[in-house]
Short mmCIF file of all heavy atoms in Angstrom, two decimals:
data_model
loop_
_atom_site.label_atom_id
_atom_site.label_comp_id
_atom_site.label_asym_id
_atom_site.label_seq_id
_atom_site.Cartn_x
_atom_site.Cartn_y
_atom_site.Cartn_z
N ARG A 1365 11.44 -11.36 17.27
CA ARG A 1365 10.71 -11.28 16.00
C ARG A 1365 11.26 -10.13 15.17
O ARG A 1365 11.74 -9.14 15.70
CB ARG A 1365 9.22 -11.06 16.25
CG ARG A 1365 8.59 -12.21 17.05
CD ARG A 1365 7.13 -12.06 17.20
NE ARG A 1365 6.52 -12.26 15.89
CZ ARG A 1365 5.28 -11.92 15.60
NH1 ARG A 1365 4.53 -11.34 16.51
NH2 ARG A 1365 4.78 -12.15 14.41
N ILE A 1366 11.18 -10.28 13.87
CA ILE A 1366 11.69 -9.25 12.97
C ILE A 1366 10.65 -8.15 12.81
O ILE A 1366 9.50 -8.42 12.46
CB ILE A 1366 12.03 -9.85 11.59
CG1 ILE A 1366 13.13 -10.89 11.74
CG2 ILE A 1366 12.45 -8.77 10.61
CD1 ILE A 1366 13.44 -11.63 10.47
N HIS A 1367 11.07 -6.93 13.06
CA HIS A 1367 10.24 -5.74 12.87
C HIS A 1367 11.00 -4.77 11.98
O HIS A 1367 12.20 -4.91 11.77
CB HIS A 1367 9.93 -5.07 14.20
CG HIS A 1367 8.92 -5.79 15.02
ND1 HIS A 1367 8.01 -5.13 15.80
CD2 HIS A 1367 8.65 -7.10 15.19
CE1 HIS A 1367 7.23 -6.00 16.41
NE2 HIS A 1367 7.61 -7.21 16.06
N VAL A 1368 10.30 -3.77 11.47
CA VAL A 1368 10.89 -2.73 10.63
C VAL A 1368 10.42 -1.39 11.16
O VAL A 1368 9.26 -1.24 11.54
CB VAL A 1368 10.48 -2.91 9.15
CG1 VAL A 1368 11.05 -1.82 8.28
CG2 VAL A 1368 10.91 -4.28 8.63
N ARG A 1369 11.31 -0.40 11.15
CA ARG A 1369 10.94 0.94 11.62
C ARG A 1369 9.98 1.60 10.62
O ARG A 1369 10.14 1.48 9.41
CB ARG A 1369 12.17 1.80 11.77
CG ARG A 1369 13.02 1.43 12.94
CD ARG A 1369 14.17 2.45 13.09
NE ARG A 1369 15.06 2.02 14.14
CZ ARG A 1369 16.16 1.29 13.94
NH1 ARG A 1369 16.49 0.93 12.71
NH2 ARG A 1369 16.92 0.93 14.94
N ARG A 1370 9.01 2.32 11.15
CA ARG A 1370 8.07 3.04 10.28
C ARG A 1370 8.78 4.10 9.44
O ARG A 1370 8.42 4.33 8.30
CB ARG A 1370 6.97 3.71 11.11
CG ARG A 1370 5.91 2.75 11.56
CD ARG A 1370 4.74 3.52 12.18
NE ARG A 1370 3.77 2.60 12.70
CZ ARG A 1370 2.75 2.13 12.00
NH1 ARG A 1370 2.58 2.50 10.77
NH2 ARG A 1370 1.91 1.27 12.54
N SER A 1371 9.78 4.72 10.01
CA SER A 1371 10.51 5.74 9.25
C SER A 1371 11.20 5.13 8.02
O SER A 1371 11.24 5.75 6.95
CB SER A 1371 11.53 6.44 10.15
OG SER A 1371 12.46 5.49 10.67
N ASP A 1372 11.72 3.90 8.15
CA ASP A 1372 12.34 3.23 7.00
C ASP A 1372 11.30 2.93 5.92
O ASP A 1372 11.59 3.05 4.73
CB ASP A 1372 13.02 1.92 7.43
CG ASP A 1372 14.25 2.16 8.29
OD1 ASP A 1372 14.75 3.31 8.32
OD2 ASP A 1372 14.70 1.20 8.95
N ILE A 1373 10.10 2.56 6.34
CA ILE A 1373 9.04 2.27 5.37
C ILE A 1373 8.66 3.55 4.62
O ILE A 1373 8.50 3.54 3.40
CB ILE A 1373 7.80 1.67 6.09
CG1 ILE A 1373 8.16 0.34 6.74
CG2 ILE A 1373 6.65 1.50 5.12
CD1 ILE A 1373 7.12 -0.18 7.68
N GLU A 1374 8.55 4.67 5.33
CA GLU A 1374 8.21 5.94 4.68
C GLU A 1374 9.29 6.39 3.72
O GLU A 1374 9.01 6.89 2.63
CB GLU A 1374 7.92 7.02 5.73
CG GLU A 1374 6.64 6.79 6.50
CD GLU A 1374 5.43 6.62 5.59
OE1 GLU A 1374 5.27 7.40 4.63
OE2 GLU A 1374 4.64 5.70 5.84
N HIS A 1375 10.58 6.20 4.10
CA HIS A 1375 11.68 6.55 3.19
C HIS A 1375 11.61 5.70 1.93
O HIS A 1375 11.83 6.19 0.82
CB HIS A 1375 13.03 6.39 3.88
CG HIS A 1375 13.31 7.43 4.92
ND1 HIS A 1375 13.43 8.76 4.62
CD2 HIS A 1375 13.47 7.33 6.25
CE1 HIS A 1375 13.67 9.44 5.74
NE2 HIS A 1375 13.68 8.59 6.74
N TYR A 1376 11.31 4.42 2.09
CA TYR A 1376 11.21 3.53 0.93
C TYR A 1376 10.04 3.95 0.04
O TYR A 1376 10.18 3.99 -1.18
CB TYR A 1376 11.04 2.07 1.39
CG TYR A 1376 10.85 1.11 0.24
CD1 TYR A 1376 11.87 0.86 -0.66
CD2 TYR A 1376 9.64 0.46 0.06
CE1 TYR A 1376 11.70 -0.01 -1.73
CE2 TYR A 1376 9.45 -0.40 -1.00
CZ TYR A 1376 10.48 -0.64 -1.88
OH TYR A 1376 10.30 -1.49 -2.93
N ARG A 1377 8.92 4.29 0.63
CA ARG A 1377 7.76 4.75 -0.16
C ARG A 1377 8.11 6.01 -0.96
O ARG A 1377 7.73 6.14 -2.12
CB ARG A 1377 6.58 5.06 0.76
CG ARG A 1377 5.73 3.92 1.09
CD ARG A 1377 4.58 4.44 1.90
NE ARG A 1377 3.51 3.47 1.97
CZ ARG A 1377 2.48 3.58 2.78
NH1 ARG A 1377 2.38 4.63 3.57
NH2 ARG A 1377 1.55 2.67 2.79
N GLN A 1378 8.79 6.95 -0.33
CA GLN A 1378 9.16 8.18 -1.02
C GLN A 1378 10.15 7.91 -2.15
O GLN A 1378 10.11 8.56 -3.18
CB GLN A 1378 9.74 9.19 -0.03
CG GLN A 1378 8.69 9.73 0.92
CD GLN A 1378 9.28 10.60 2.01
OE1 GLN A 1378 10.50 10.77 2.08
NE2 GLN A 1378 8.43 11.13 2.87
N SER A 1379 11.03 6.93 -1.95
CA SER A 1379 11.99 6.62 -3.01
C SER A 1379 11.30 6.00 -4.21
O SER A 1379 11.76 6.13 -5.34
CB SER A 1379 13.09 5.68 -2.49
OG SER A 1379 12.56 4.38 -2.29
N LEU A 1380 10.18 5.33 -4.00
CA LEU A 1380 9.44 4.73 -5.11
C LEU A 1380 8.83 5.82 -6.00
O LEU A 1380 8.85 5.71 -7.22
CB LEU A 1380 8.32 3.82 -4.60
CG LEU A 1380 8.75 2.54 -3.93
CD1 LEU A 1380 7.53 1.81 -3.39
CD2 LEU A 1380 9.53 1.65 -4.87
N SER A 1381 8.31 6.86 -5.38
CA SER A 1381 7.67 7.92 -6.18
C SER A 1381 8.69 8.88 -6.78
O SER A 1381 8.37 9.62 -7.69
CB SER A 1381 6.68 8.69 -5.31
OG SER A 1381 7.36 9.31 -4.24
N ALA A 1382 9.95 8.87 -6.29
CA ALA A 1382 10.96 9.80 -6.79
C ALA A 1382 11.70 9.27 -8.02
O ALA A 1382 12.52 9.97 -8.57
CB ALA A 1382 11.97 10.10 -5.69
N ARG A 1383 11.41 8.06 -8.45
CA ARG A 1383 12.10 7.50 -9.61
C ARG A 1383 11.71 8.22 -10.88
O ARG A 1383 10.56 8.62 -11.06
CB ARG A 1383 11.79 6.01 -9.74
CG ARG A 1383 12.40 5.22 -8.61
CD ARG A 1383 12.18 3.76 -8.80
NE ARG A 1383 12.84 3.03 -7.73
CZ ARG A 1383 12.51 1.86 -7.32
NH1 ARG A 1383 11.52 1.21 -7.89
NH2 ARG A 1383 13.17 1.28 -6.35
N ALA A 1384 12.66 8.34 -11.78
CA ALA A 1384 12.41 8.98 -13.07
C ALA A 1384 11.69 8.01 -13.99
O ALA A 1384 11.93 6.80 -13.92
CB ALA A 1384 13.72 9.42 -13.69
N PRO A 1385 10.78 8.51 -14.86
CA PRO A 1385 10.02 7.61 -15.70
C PRO A 1385 10.90 6.82 -16.69
O PRO A 1385 10.58 5.71 -17.05
CB PRO A 1385 9.05 8.52 -16.45
CG PRO A 1385 9.46 9.91 -16.15
CD PRO A 1385 10.40 9.89 -15.02
N GLY A 1386 12.03 7.37 -17.14
CA GLY A 1386 12.87 6.66 -18.10
C GLY A 1386 13.83 5.68 -17.45
O GLY A 1386 14.46 4.87 -18.12
N LYS A 1387 13.96 5.76 -16.13
CA LYS A 1387 14.92 4.92 -15.43
C LYS A 1387 14.18 3.78 -14.70
O LYS A 1387 13.30 4.04 -13.90
CB LYS A 1387 15.68 5.76 -14.40
CG LYS A 1387 16.74 5.01 -13.65
CD LYS A 1387 17.42 5.93 -12.65
CE LYS A 1387 18.37 5.16 -11.77
NZ LYS A 1387 18.93 6.00 -10.73
N PRO A 1388 14.53 2.55 -14.99
CA PRO A 1388 13.83 1.45 -14.31
C PRO A 1388 14.21 1.40 -12.83
O PRO A 1388 15.24 1.92 -12.42
CB PRO A 1388 14.32 0.19 -15.04
CG PRO A 1388 15.60 0.59 -15.67
CD PRO A 1388 15.51 2.07 -15.93
N GLY A 1389 13.37 0.76 -12.03
CA GLY A 1389 13.62 0.63 -10.61
C GLY A 1389 14.84 -0.23 -10.34
O GLY A 1389 15.25 -1.05 -11.14
N GLU A 1390 15.46 0.00 -9.21
CA GLU A 1390 16.67 -0.75 -8.85
C GLU A 1390 16.36 -1.81 -7.85
O GLU A 1390 15.54 -1.69 -7.04
CB GLU A 1390 17.71 0.22 -8.31
CG GLU A 1390 18.13 1.22 -9.36
CD GLU A 1390 19.02 2.30 -8.76
OE1 GLU A 1390 18.98 2.54 -7.56
OE2 GLU A 1390 19.75 2.90 -9.53
#
């Protein structure tokens, strides 16, 4: 079964909040 590491999820969450307001998400 496909699983994802919790550390990868936390890194992704932090990258969402680190985006600049003038720059759209990638």
Side-chain angles (χ1 to χ4, degrees):
R1365 299 185 70 195
I1366 298 174
H1367 285 215
V1368 178
R1369 288 186 186 93
R1370 282 190 184 269
S1371 59
D1372 291 345
I1373 297 168
E1374 291 305 315
H1375 288 296
Y1376 177 67
R1377 274 184 164 169
Q1378 290 172 358
S1379 72
L1380 291 176
S1381 62
R1383 292 184 177 156
K1387 182 180 173 186
E1390 297 172 337

